[in-house]
Amino acid sequence: MSKEKKSLEEQAYEILNKACLGWREVPASLSGRFHGGESMEQHIKTAVSIVNHLCDCYGVPEEDRDLCVAGAVLHDM
C-alpha cells in the first residue's frame, strides 16, 4: 500500500501545528494594520492561494511551485 505524498503546504502546516501551538489564533500582523485583523492561518492560506494562482498564470514548473508555496507559508516568519 503506497502512501500519497503530502504537499509542501500540508507539511508546513504539520510543522507549525507541532512547533507553535496556537499559531492559528495569532493576528497576521502584531499591529493589525496591514492584514485587516485576519488570523495568521487565514493570511497564510490567502498568500498560498495567490501564489498558486500566479504559478498557474505563468506556467511555473511543479518543482519551482513548491518553492513559491514554501515562501508564501513562511513569508512572515
Side-chain angles (χ1 to χ4, degrees):
M1 178 180 272
S2 67
K3 282 184 129 179
E4 188 174 319
K5 184 179 176 186
K6 291 183 181 178
S7 72
L8 189 62
E9 184 180 355
E10 291 169 323
Q11 292 175 47
Y13 287 134
E14 281 184 4
I15 292 168
L16 283 172
N17 286 330
K18 288 178 185 173
C20 306
L21 293 176
W23 70 272
R24 286 182 158 88
E25 291 78 32
V26 173
S29 70
L30 292 178
S31 67
R33 294 184 314 185
F34 303 112
H35 301 297
E38 68 183 357
S39 69
M40 185 181 292
E41 178 181 25
Q42 184 57 46
H43 177 63
I44 290 171
K45 287 181 177 184
T46 301
V48 169
S49 175
I50 291 167
V51 164
N52 280 322
H53 176 72
L54 290 172
C55 287
D56 289 341
C57 288
Y58 290 99
V60 175
E62 193 64 35
E63 61 273 10
D64 294 335
R65 181 184 296 248
D66 282 349
L67 294 172
C68 293
V69 169
V73 170
L74 300 172
H75 77 276
D76 280 331
M77 296 184 182

